[in-house]
Amino acid sequence: MSTTLIRGAWVLAPEPIRDGAVVIAGDRIAAVGTYTDLAAEYLGAAQHGSAHDIVGPGFVNTHGHFSEGLITGIGSDFTLWEWIHTLIRPVDPHLDRRKAYLGTMVAGIQMLRSGVTTANDMFVCTPTGTPVSPGVVDALDELGLRGVVSFGAGDVGGAPIAAQFDEHEALREAATASRLCTFRLGIGALGGQSDEMFARSVDYAVGGGHGVHIHVQEIREEVTATFARTGRTVVAHCAHEGLFAAPTLAAHCVWVDRNDRRILAEHRVGVAHNPVSNMILASGVAPVAEMRELGIDVGIGVDGPASNDSQDYLQALKTAALLARVHHRQATAMSAYEAWEMGTIGGARALRMDDEIGSLEVGKKADVLVLDGRGPTLANVHDPYQAVVFVAGSREVSEVWVDGVPSVLGGDVVRVDPGEIAELSRPAAAELVTRAGLGHLSALVEA
Ligand SMILES: [Zn+2]
Protein backbone atom coordinates (compact mmCIF):
# COMPACT_ATOMS: atom_id res chain seq x y z
CA MET A 1 0.00 0.00 0.00
CA SER A 2 1.45 3.36 -1.00
CA THR A 3 1.93 5.92 1.75
CA THR A 4 1.94 9.66 1.18
CA LEU A 5 2.70 12.45 3.64
CA ILE A 6 1.27 15.90 2.89
CA ARG A 7 2.86 18.76 4.79
CA GLY A 8 1.44 22.19 5.58
CA ALA A 9 2.21 25.28 7.65
CA TRP A 10 -1.37 24.70 8.73
CA VAL A 11 -3.31 21.46 8.72
CA LEU A 12 -6.99 22.15 9.35
CA ALA A 13 -8.31 18.89 10.64
CA PRO A 14 -10.60 20.91 11.50
CA GLU A 15 -8.66 22.08 14.60
CA PRO A 16 -5.56 23.84 13.28
CA ILE A 17 -2.20 22.10 13.61
CA ARG A 18 0.84 24.33 13.01
CA ASP A 19 3.58 22.80 10.87
CA GLY A 20 1.43 19.74 10.53
CA ALA A 21 1.03 16.81 8.21
CA VAL A 22 -1.52 14.26 7.12
CA VAL A 23 -0.56 10.74 6.10
CA ILE A 24 -2.52 8.85 3.44
CA ALA A 25 -2.33 5.06 3.21
CA GLY A 26 -4.38 3.54 0.40
CA ASP A 27 -7.71 5.35 0.26
CA ARG A 28 -7.72 6.33 3.96
CA ILE A 29 -6.18 8.84 6.32
CA ALA A 30 -3.63 6.97 8.42
CA ALA A 31 -2.34 9.76 10.65
CA VAL A 32 -2.70 13.47 11.40
CA GLY A 33 -0.19 15.35 13.54
CA THR A 34 2.91 17.51 13.49
CA TYR A 35 5.27 17.26 10.55
CA THR A 36 8.22 16.51 12.81
CA ASP A 37 6.52 13.51 14.39
CA LEU A 38 4.98 12.08 11.24
CA ALA A 39 8.05 12.57 9.02
CA ALA A 40 10.01 10.54 11.56
CA GLU A 41 7.34 7.86 11.79
CA TYR A 42 6.68 7.52 8.03
CA LEU A 43 10.23 7.67 6.69
CA GLY A 44 9.46 5.98 3.38
CA ALA A 45 6.38 8.06 2.53
CA ALA A 46 6.27 10.15 -0.63
CA GLN A 47 6.18 13.81 0.46
CA HIS A 48 3.79 16.43 -0.89
CA GLY A 49 2.85 19.94 0.18
CA SER A 50 5.37 22.35 1.71
CA ALA A 51 6.27 24.12 4.94
CA HIS A 52 4.11 27.07 3.79
CA ASP A 53 0.96 25.38 2.47
CA ILE A 54 -2.52 25.12 3.98
CA VAL A 55 -3.87 21.56 4.06
CA GLY A 56 -7.48 20.70 4.83
CA PRO A 57 -10.32 18.37 3.95
CA GLY A 58 -11.65 18.78 0.42
CA PHE A 59 -14.83 20.80 -0.02
CA VAL A 60 -18.25 19.15 -0.11
CA ASN A 61 -20.35 20.79 -2.79
CA THR A 62 -23.89 20.08 -1.59
CA HIS A 63 -25.84 21.14 -4.68
CA GLY A 64 -25.28 21.40 -8.41
CA HIS A 65 -26.47 20.41 -11.87
CA PHE A 66 -24.01 18.84 -14.29
CA SER A 67 -26.89 18.91 -16.80
CA GLU A 68 -26.11 22.63 -17.21
CA GLY A 69 -22.42 22.12 -17.94
CA LEU A 70 -22.72 23.21 -21.57
CA ILE A 71 -25.01 26.22 -20.99
CA THR A 72 -23.03 28.32 -18.58
CA GLY A 73 -23.21 32.11 -18.73
CA ILE A 74 -26.46 32.36 -20.67
CA GLY A 75 -29.77 34.07 -19.93
CA SER A 76 -28.81 35.52 -16.58
CA ASP A 77 -31.44 38.23 -16.15
CA PHE A 78 -34.32 36.01 -15.06
CA THR A 79 -35.91 34.92 -11.82
CA LEU A 80 -36.17 31.18 -11.20
CA TRP A 81 -39.39 30.22 -13.00
CA GLU A 82 -38.67 32.53 -15.95
CA TRP A 83 -35.21 30.99 -16.16
CA ILE A 84 -36.58 27.42 -16.08
CA HIS A 85 -39.18 28.27 -18.72
CA THR A 86 -36.81 30.15 -21.03
CA LEU A 87 -33.64 28.14 -20.71
CA ILE A 88 -33.83 24.83 -18.88
CA ARG A 89 -37.03 23.33 -20.36
CA PRO A 90 -35.97 23.93 -24.01
CA VAL A 91 -32.56 22.35 -23.36
CA ASP A 92 -33.75 19.26 -21.39
CA PRO A 93 -34.98 17.12 -24.33
CA HIS A 94 -31.73 17.57 -26.26
CA LEU A 95 -29.32 16.24 -23.64
CA ASP A 96 -27.80 12.83 -24.29
CA ARG A 97 -25.24 10.68 -22.49
CA ARG A 98 -22.29 12.23 -24.34
CA LYS A 99 -23.46 15.77 -23.53
CA ALA A 100 -23.96 14.68 -19.92
CA TYR A 101 -20.37 13.40 -19.92
CA LEU A 102 -18.95 16.55 -21.49
CA GLY A 103 -20.99 18.91 -19.28
CA THR A 104 -19.82 17.05 -16.20
CA MET A 105 -16.22 17.23 -17.39
CA VAL A 106 -16.41 20.98 -17.98
CA ALA A 107 -18.06 21.70 -14.62
CA GLY A 108 -16.19 19.00 -12.69
CA ILE A 109 -12.77 20.29 -13.74
CA GLN A 110 -13.71 23.72 -12.38
CA MET A 111 -14.88 22.17 -9.12
CA LEU A 112 -11.69 20.14 -8.67
CA ARG A 113 -9.54 23.19 -9.46
CA SER A 114 -11.35 25.02 -6.62
CA GLY A 115 -10.86 22.24 -4.08
CA VAL A 116 -14.09 20.24 -4.30
CA THR A 117 -13.72 16.53 -3.55
CA THR A 118 -17.43 15.58 -3.33
CA ALA A 119 -20.20 16.88 -5.57
CA ASN A 120 -23.88 16.29 -4.82
CA ASP A 121 -25.53 16.52 -8.23
CA MET A 122 -29.02 16.56 -9.64
CA PHE A 123 -29.09 15.90 -13.37
CA VAL A 124 -32.16 17.46 -15.00
CA CYS A 125 -33.27 16.14 -18.39
CA THR A 126 -36.27 14.71 -20.21
CA PRO A 127 -36.02 10.91 -20.19
CA THR A 128 -36.08 9.64 -23.76
CA GLY A 129 -35.85 5.89 -23.23
CA THR A 130 -32.09 5.89 -23.66
CA PRO A 131 -30.42 6.71 -20.32
CA VAL A 132 -28.72 10.11 -20.22
CA SER A 133 -27.62 10.76 -16.63
CA PRO A 134 -25.10 7.84 -16.41
CA GLY A 135 -22.85 10.13 -18.47
CA VAL A 136 -22.29 12.00 -15.18
CA VAL A 137 -20.89 8.87 -13.53
CA ASP A 138 -18.63 8.17 -16.53
CA ALA A 139 -17.07 11.63 -16.19
CA LEU A 140 -16.76 11.70 -12.37
CA ASP A 141 -14.95 8.36 -12.30
CA GLU A 142 -12.60 9.51 -15.03
CA LEU A 143 -11.92 12.88 -13.34
CA GLY A 144 -11.50 11.40 -9.87
CA LEU A 145 -14.27 13.44 -8.23
CA ARG A 146 -16.51 11.81 -5.62
CA GLY A 147 -20.17 12.10 -6.59
CA VAL A 148 -23.58 11.76 -5.03
CA VAL A 149 -25.66 11.51 -8.17
CA SER A 150 -29.37 11.90 -8.76
CA PHE A 151 -31.78 12.49 -11.62
CA GLY A 152 -34.19 15.41 -11.03
CA ALA A 153 -37.42 13.67 -11.99
CA GLY A 154 -40.76 15.32 -12.72
CA ASP A 155 -43.77 14.28 -14.80
CA VAL A 156 -45.75 17.53 -14.81
CA GLY A 157 -44.14 18.47 -18.15
CA GLY A 158 -45.68 15.34 -19.70
CA ALA A 159 -42.86 12.79 -19.56
CA PRO A 160 -44.29 9.37 -18.62
CA ILE A 161 -43.71 8.23 -15.03
CA ALA A 162 -42.30 4.85 -16.12
CA ALA A 163 -39.58 6.53 -18.19
CA GLN A 164 -38.58 8.64 -15.17
CA PHE A 165 -38.08 5.57 -13.02
CA ASP A 166 -36.14 3.88 -15.83
CA GLU A 167 -33.77 6.86 -15.74
CA HIS A 168 -33.44 6.59 -11.93
CA GLU A 169 -32.67 2.89 -12.28
CA ALA A 170 -30.07 3.41 -15.01
CA LEU A 171 -28.31 6.03 -12.89
CA ARG A 172 -28.49 3.86 -9.78
CA GLU A 173 -26.90 0.94 -11.65
CA ALA A 174 -24.14 3.17 -13.05
CA ALA A 175 -23.40 4.55 -9.56
CA THR A 176 -23.34 1.07 -8.03
CA ALA A 177 -20.78 -0.04 -10.62
CA SER A 178 -18.65 3.10 -10.20
CA ARG A 179 -15.60 3.74 -8.06
CA LEU A 180 -16.63 7.07 -6.56
CA CYS A 181 -20.37 7.59 -6.94
CA THR A 182 -23.38 6.87 -4.76
CA PHE A 183 -26.99 7.23 -5.83
CA ARG A 184 -29.82 9.35 -4.43
CA LEU A 185 -33.38 9.65 -5.62
CA GLY A 186 -33.84 13.04 -7.29
CA ILE A 187 -37.08 14.98 -7.17
CA GLY A 188 -36.79 18.17 -9.24
CA ALA A 189 -39.34 19.85 -6.99
CA LEU A 190 -42.59 18.87 -5.31
CA GLY A 191 -44.53 21.03 -7.79
CA GLY A 192 -42.94 19.21 -10.72
CA GLN A 193 -44.49 15.87 -9.82
CA SER A 194 -48.09 14.65 -9.93
CA ASP A 195 -49.46 13.25 -6.66
CA GLU A 196 -49.15 9.76 -8.15
CA MET A 197 -45.52 10.20 -9.10
CA PHE A 198 -44.60 11.85 -5.79
CA ALA A 199 -46.13 8.92 -3.88
CA ARG A 200 -44.09 6.50 -6.00
CA SER A 201 -40.96 8.58 -5.38
CA VAL A 202 -41.51 8.40 -1.61
CA ASP A 203 -42.00 4.61 -1.82
CA TYR A 204 -38.92 4.16 -4.00
CA ALA A 205 -36.68 6.18 -1.67
CA VAL A 206 -37.99 4.95 1.68
CA GLY A 207 -38.55 1.36 0.54
CA GLY A 208 -35.22 1.13 -1.28
CA GLY A 209 -33.18 2.79 1.46
CA HIS A 210 -32.08 5.62 -0.84
CA GLY A 211 -31.27 9.19 0.09
CA VAL A 212 -33.23 12.00 -1.57
CA HIS A 213 -32.11 15.21 -3.29
CA ILE A 214 -34.86 17.80 -3.84
CA HIS A 215 -35.29 21.56 -4.34
CA VAL A 216 -37.32 23.08 -1.50
CA GLN A 217 -38.85 26.56 -1.16
CA GLU A 218 -36.32 28.34 -3.30
CA ILE A 219 -38.75 31.15 -4.17
CA ARG A 220 -41.90 32.61 -2.64
CA GLU A 221 -44.03 31.60 -5.66
CA GLU A 222 -43.22 27.93 -4.99
CA VAL A 223 -44.54 28.20 -1.44
CA THR A 224 -47.68 30.03 -2.54
CA ALA A 225 -48.46 27.61 -5.39
CA THR A 226 -47.98 24.56 -3.17
CA PHE A 227 -50.07 26.05 -0.39
CA ALA A 228 -52.89 26.76 -2.86
CA ARG A 229 -52.79 23.15 -4.09
CA THR A 230 -52.20 21.23 -0.86
CA GLY A 231 -52.95 23.57 2.03
CA ARG A 232 -49.37 23.12 3.22
CA THR A 233 -45.91 24.47 2.56
CA VAL A 234 -43.55 22.24 0.56
CA VAL A 235 -41.69 21.26 3.73
CA ALA A 236 -44.91 20.43 5.61
CA HIS A 237 -46.31 18.49 2.64
CA CYS A 238 -43.12 16.45 2.17
CA ALA A 239 -43.17 15.61 5.89
CA HIS A 240 -46.87 14.73 5.75
CA GLU A 241 -46.33 12.38 2.79
CA GLY A 242 -43.46 10.61 4.55
CA LEU A 243 -40.61 11.73 2.30
CA PHE A 244 -38.36 12.68 5.20
CA ALA A 245 -38.23 9.08 6.40
CA ALA A 246 -35.49 8.89 3.75
CA PRO A 247 -32.27 10.87 4.40
CA THR A 248 -33.08 14.06 2.54
CA LEU A 249 -30.95 16.90 1.20
CA ALA A 250 -33.13 19.96 0.55
CA ALA A 251 -31.56 22.52 -1.75
CA HIS A 252 -32.09 26.23 -1.01
CA CYS A 253 -34.76 26.53 1.74
CA VAL A 254 -34.75 30.30 1.18
CA TRP A 255 -38.44 30.81 2.00
CA VAL A 256 -38.76 28.58 5.05
CA ASP A 257 -40.67 29.95 8.06
CA ARG A 258 -40.33 29.02 11.72
CA ASN A 259 -42.61 25.99 11.40
CA ASP A 260 -40.80 24.75 8.28
CA ARG A 261 -37.47 25.06 10.09
CA ARG A 262 -38.81 23.11 13.06
CA ILE A 263 -39.93 20.30 10.71
CA LEU A 264 -36.55 20.27 8.92
CA ALA A 265 -34.74 20.01 12.25
CA GLU A 266 -37.06 17.30 13.58
CA HIS A 267 -36.51 15.11 10.52
CA ARG A 268 -32.80 15.87 10.27
CA VAL A 269 -33.17 17.17 6.73
CA GLY A 270 -29.85 18.53 5.43
CA VAL A 271 -29.90 21.87 3.63
CA ALA A 272 -27.76 23.12 0.74
CA HIS A 273 -27.29 26.89 0.84
CA ASN A 274 -26.46 28.33 -2.59
CA PRO A 275 -25.62 31.99 -2.07
CA VAL A 276 -24.43 32.81 -5.59
CA SER A 277 -27.39 31.39 -7.52
CA ASN A 278 -29.80 32.84 -4.93
CA MET A 279 -28.30 36.25 -5.70
CA ILE A 280 -28.13 35.82 -9.51
CA LEU A 281 -31.78 34.68 -9.70
CA ALA A 282 -32.78 37.22 -7.00
CA SER A 283 -34.42 34.40 -5.02
CA GLY A 284 -33.72 35.87 -1.60
CA VAL A 285 -31.54 35.16 1.42
CA ALA A 286 -31.80 31.79 3.15
CA PRO A 287 -32.12 32.00 6.97
CA VAL A 288 -28.82 30.17 7.49
CA ALA A 289 -28.18 31.33 11.05
CA GLU A 290 -31.74 30.49 12.16
CA MET A 291 -31.46 26.99 10.64
CA ARG A 292 -28.07 26.34 12.20
CA GLU A 293 -29.30 27.51 15.60
CA LEU A 294 -31.91 24.73 15.44
CA GLY A 295 -29.17 22.21 14.70
CA ILE A 296 -30.02 21.81 11.01
CA ASP A 297 -26.98 20.67 9.01
CA VAL A 298 -26.38 23.36 6.41
CA GLY A 299 -23.81 22.89 3.65
CA ILE A 300 -22.83 25.20 0.81
CA GLY A 301 -23.46 24.53 -2.86
CA VAL A 302 -22.26 26.17 -6.04
CA ASP A 303 -25.55 25.29 -7.82
CA GLY A 304 -25.62 24.74 -11.57
CA PRO A 305 -23.41 26.19 -14.28
CA ALA A 306 -26.45 27.98 -15.75
CA SER A 307 -27.47 29.73 -12.53
CA ASN A 308 -24.22 30.55 -10.70
CA ASP A 309 -22.61 30.48 -13.34
CA SER A 310 -19.11 29.71 -12.09
CA GLN A 311 -18.35 26.33 -10.56
CA ASP A 312 -15.64 27.80 -8.35
CA TYR A 313 -16.29 26.63 -4.80
CA LEU A 314 -14.03 29.21 -3.15
CA GLN A 315 -16.22 31.94 -4.66
CA ALA A 316 -19.32 30.29 -3.15
CA LEU A 317 -17.68 30.05 0.29
CA LYS A 318 -16.68 33.70 0.32
CA THR A 319 -20.06 34.78 -1.02
CA ALA A 320 -21.86 32.84 1.74
CA ALA A 321 -20.07 34.89 4.38
CA LEU A 322 -20.47 38.18 2.51
CA LEU A 323 -24.19 37.67 1.85
CA ALA A 324 -24.87 36.87 5.52
CA ARG A 325 -22.96 39.97 6.61
CA VAL A 326 -24.60 42.43 4.23
CA HIS A 327 -28.04 40.91 4.86
CA HIS A 328 -27.79 41.23 8.64
CA ARG A 329 -25.57 44.31 8.38
CA GLN A 330 -23.35 42.70 10.97
CA ALA A 331 -19.73 41.70 10.44
CA THR A 332 -20.31 38.89 12.94
CA ALA A 333 -23.20 37.33 10.98
CA MET A 334 -20.97 34.58 9.54
CA SER A 335 -17.30 34.09 10.35
CA ALA A 336 -14.75 32.70 7.93
CA TYR A 337 -14.54 29.63 10.16
CA GLU A 338 -18.32 29.09 9.97
CA ALA A 339 -18.29 29.33 6.16
CA TRP A 340 -15.34 26.92 5.98
CA GLU A 341 -17.02 24.52 8.39
CA MET A 342 -20.22 24.51 6.30
CA GLY A 343 -18.08 23.90 3.20
CA THR A 344 -16.46 20.83 4.73
CA ILE A 345 -17.89 18.85 7.67
CA GLY A 346 -21.23 20.72 7.55
CA GLY A 347 -21.79 19.59 3.96
CA ALA A 348 -20.73 16.07 4.87
CA ARG A 349 -23.28 16.04 7.71
CA ALA A 350 -26.01 17.43 5.44
CA LEU A 351 -25.37 14.44 3.14
CA ARG A 352 -24.97 12.09 6.13
CA MET A 353 -21.48 11.20 4.93
CA ASP A 354 -19.62 12.67 7.91
CA ASP A 355 -18.43 9.26 9.07
CA GLU A 356 -16.44 9.02 5.82
CA ILE A 357 -15.58 12.55 4.63
CA GLY A 358 -15.56 16.22 5.67
CA SER A 359 -12.58 16.30 8.03
CA LEU A 360 -9.04 14.94 8.26
CA GLU A 361 -9.46 12.19 10.82
CA VAL A 362 -7.77 8.83 11.01
CA GLY A 363 -9.86 6.19 9.26
CA LYS A 364 -11.82 8.60 7.05
CA LYS A 365 -11.52 8.67 3.27
CA ALA A 366 -8.43 10.56 2.12
CA ASP A 367 -10.12 13.55 0.44
CA VAL A 368 -7.54 16.29 0.90
CA LEU A 369 -7.02 19.85 -0.35
CA VAL A 370 -3.65 21.62 -0.52
CA LEU A 371 -3.44 25.39 -0.96
CA ASP A 372 -0.08 26.68 -2.16
CA GLY A 373 1.45 29.03 0.40
CA ARG A 374 4.73 29.55 -1.39
CA GLY A 375 3.46 32.47 -3.50
CA PRO A 376 2.50 36.00 -2.46
CA THR A 377 -1.25 35.39 -1.95
CA LEU A 378 -0.88 33.16 1.11
CA ALA A 379 2.62 34.30 2.08
CA ASN A 380 1.44 35.78 5.38
CA VAL A 381 -1.27 33.78 7.07
CA HIS A 382 -2.54 35.54 10.19
CA ASP A 383 -5.59 33.30 10.46
CA PRO A 384 -5.81 30.14 8.34
CA TYR A 385 -9.61 30.13 8.00
CA GLN A 386 -9.71 33.74 6.82
CA ALA A 387 -6.86 32.87 4.47
CA VAL A 388 -8.90 30.07 2.88
CA VAL A 389 -12.30 31.80 2.75
CA PHE A 390 -11.41 35.45 2.09
CA VAL A 391 -7.93 35.42 0.55
CA ALA A 392 -7.37 32.28 -1.48
CA GLY A 393 -8.60 31.81 -5.04
CA SER A 394 -8.59 28.69 -7.16
CA ARG A 395 -5.07 29.68 -8.31
CA GLU A 396 -3.86 28.68 -4.84
CA VAL A 397 -5.32 25.15 -5.15
CA SER A 398 -2.22 23.12 -5.86
CA GLU A 399 -3.31 19.57 -5.00
CA VAL A 400 -6.60 17.75 -4.54
CA TRP A 401 -6.68 14.12 -3.41
CA VAL A 402 -9.85 12.05 -3.66
CA ASP A 403 -10.05 8.57 -2.18
CA GLY A 404 -6.30 8.60 -1.59
CA VAL A 405 -5.47 9.35 -5.22
CA PRO A 406 -4.39 12.72 -6.65
CA SER A 407 -6.97 14.32 -8.94
CA VAL A 408 -5.19 17.69 -9.07
CA LEU A 409 -1.41 18.14 -8.97
CA GLY A 410 0.52 21.31 -9.74
CA GLY A 411 -2.76 23.23 -9.87
CA ASP A 412 -4.44 21.21 -12.59
CA VAL A 413 -6.37 18.00 -13.15
CA VAL A 414 -4.17 15.00 -13.76
CA ARG A 415 -6.31 12.44 -15.57
CA VAL A 416 -7.78 14.44 -18.44
CA ASP A 417 -6.50 17.18 -20.72
CA PRO A 418 -8.59 20.30 -19.95
CA GLY A 419 -7.82 21.81 -23.36
CA GLU A 420 -9.04 18.68 -25.09
CA ILE A 421 -12.25 18.68 -23.02
CA ALA A 422 -12.83 22.35 -23.90
CA GLU A 423 -12.33 21.51 -27.58
CA LEU A 424 -14.76 18.58 -27.45
CA SER A 425 -17.35 20.65 -25.58
CA ARG A 426 -17.52 23.46 -28.15
CA PRO A 427 -19.45 21.71 -30.97
CA ALA A 428 -21.62 19.91 -28.37
CA ALA A 429 -22.63 23.20 -26.70
CA ALA A 430 -23.32 24.87 -30.06
CA GLU A 431 -25.44 21.92 -31.18
CA LEU A 432 -27.35 21.91 -27.89
CA VAL A 433 -28.35 25.59 -27.93
CA THR A 434 -29.15 25.42 -31.66
CA ARG A 435 -31.46 22.43 -31.21
CA ALA A 436 -33.03 24.08 -28.15
CA GLY A 437 -33.81 27.18 -30.24
CA LEU A 438 -31.86 29.54 -27.99
CA GLY A 439 -30.57 31.82 -30.77
CA HIS A 440 -32.01 34.85 -28.95
CA LEU A 441 -29.77 34.10 -25.94
CA SER A 442 -26.64 32.48 -27.34
CA ALA A 443 -23.86 33.83 -29.51
CA LEU A 444 -23.05 30.21 -30.37
CA VAL A 445 -26.18 29.92 -32.54
CA GLU A 446 -25.43 31.01 -36.07
CA ALA A 447 -27.99 33.39 -37.51
ZN1 LIG B 1 -30.67 23.49 -8.21
Side-chain angles (χ1 to χ4, degrees):
M1 192 189 293
S2 68
T3 308
T4 304
L5 181 149
I6 303 178
R7 180 182 190 180
W10 295 94
V11 172
L12 311 177
E15 292 312 312
I17 303 168
R18 291 195 81 148
D19 199 11
V22 54
V23 175
I24 299 172
D27 62 342
R28 301 277 168 180
I29 292 168
V32 184
T34 64
Y35 173 73
T36 311
D37 288 351
L38 296 182
E41 192 179 339
Y42 293 89
L43 280 173
Q47 292 219 8
H48 285 252
S50 81
H52 303 293
D53 294 352
I54 299 178
V55 178
F59 296 126
V60 180
N61 175 25
T62 50
H63 183 61
H65 302 283
F66 287 125
S67 43
E68 299 166 11
L70 299 175
I71 50 166
T72 196
I74 172 175
S76 67
D77 297 333
F78 298 114
T79 59
L80 181 73
W81 281 359
E82 298 160 345
W83 172 85
I84 291 172
H85 174 78
T86 311
L87 187 62
I88 301 302
R89 289 287 166 258
V91 163
D92 281 356
H94 304 289
L95 289 165
D96 56 30
R97 186 165 179 158
R98 182 176 149 77
K99 291 191 179 72
Y101 167 84
L102 287 171
T104 305
M105 280 288 183
V106 167
I109 288 170
Q110 297 174 63
M111 285 183 202
L112 279 171
R113 281 174 167 172
S114 65
V116 172
T117 50
T118 297
N120 181 43
D121 190 64
M122 181 193 287
F123 195 90
V124 179
C125 66
T126 307
T128 57
T130 308
V132 177
S133 54
V136 172
V137 175
D138 300 339
L140 292 178
D141 269 2
E142 192 176 332
L143 279 173
L145 176 57
R146 193 180 301 286
V148 181
V149 295
S150 61
F151 156 61
D155 65 325
V156 165
I161 293 175
Q164 311 261 348
F165 280 90
D166 289 347
E167 186 73 31
H168 284 311
E169 276 296 303
L171 182 59
R172 187 183 64 74
E173 283 170 19
T176 304
S178 82
R179 187 168 69 89
L180 294 172
C181 293
T182 52
F183 169 81
R184 279 195 170 217
L185 178 90
I187 298 173
L190 176 67
Q193 298 203 350
S194 62
D195 288 344
E196 182 193 349
M197 180 161 184
F198 187 68
R200 282 187 58 179
S201 297
V202 172
D203 286 349
Y204 183 97
V206 177
H210 303 300
V212 169
H213 186 183
I214 180 174
H215 291 98
V216 170
Q217 296 182 207
E218 181 171 354
I219 56 173
R220 189 203 301 251
E221 292 92 323
E222 183 188 348
V223 185
T224 311
T226 301
F227 196 86
R229 190 170 69 81
T230 69
R232 301 185 188 93
T233 65
V234 176
V235 169
H237 193 70
C238 287
H240 182 264
E241 298 298 311
L243 181 69
F244 298 152
T248 302
L249 187 290
H252 301 296
C253 296
V254 172
W255 292 89
V256 287
D257 65 14
R258 186 174 290 144
N259 190 49
D260 294 326
R261 297 196 291 267
R262 185 185 55 74
I263 295 170
L264 292 171
E266 256 175 36
H267 291 85
R268 220 189 132 198
V269 174
V271 171
H273 172 47
N274 303 273
V276 178
S277 76
N278 289 166
M279 292 166 80
I280 284 192
L281 296 167
S283 301
V285 183
V288 172
E290 291 89 338
M291 289 192 280
R292 277 164 59 83
E293 275 164 21
L294 283 179
I296 297 170
D297 296 315
V298 182
I300 293 173
V302 291
D303 210 346
S307 72
N308 176 308
D309 296 13
S310 164
Q311 297 293 280
D312 186 323
Y313 199 80
L314 285 161
Q315 284 185 4
L317 269 192
K318 182 167 182 172
T319 306
L322 300 185
L323 176 59
R325 290 173 181 216
V326 76
H327 179 64
H328 293 284
R329 289 170 298 281
Q330 283 178 345
T332 53
M334 188 188 293
S335 68
Y337 178 82
E338 285 177 287
W340 179 84
E341 188 201 26
M342 282 193 275
T344 54
I345 190 69
R349 285 195 194 106
L351 287 166
R352 302 208 192 173
M353 294 172 76
D354 50 304
D355 56 338
E356 287 281 74
I357 60 168
S359 60
L360 302 180
E361 291 178 70
V362 173
K364 279 195 178 183
K365 287 284 190 181
D367 290 3
V368 184
L369 162 68
V370 184
L371 295 168
D372 187 353
R374 292 167 302 174
T377 306
L378 298 179
N380 303 291
V381 174
H382 303 278
D383 175 297
Y385 303 101
Q386 288 191 58
V388 175
V389 174
F390 290 150
V391 184
S394 56
R395 271 169 316 195
E396 278 64 59
V397 173
S398 58
E399 296 190 10
V400 176
W401 294 65
V402 177
D403 218 47
V405 180
S407 294
V408 171
L409 288 175
D412 216 341
V413 289
V414 292
R415 283 195 206 86
V416 297
D417 177 348
E420 193 182 313
I421 294 298
E423 204 54 54
L424 290 171
S425 78
R426 287 188 183 107
E431 184 198 305
L432 184 61
V433 288
T434 301
R435 284 198 186 186
L438 295 178
H440 58 304
L441 294 175
S442 173
L444 298 183
V445 180
E446 295 192 21

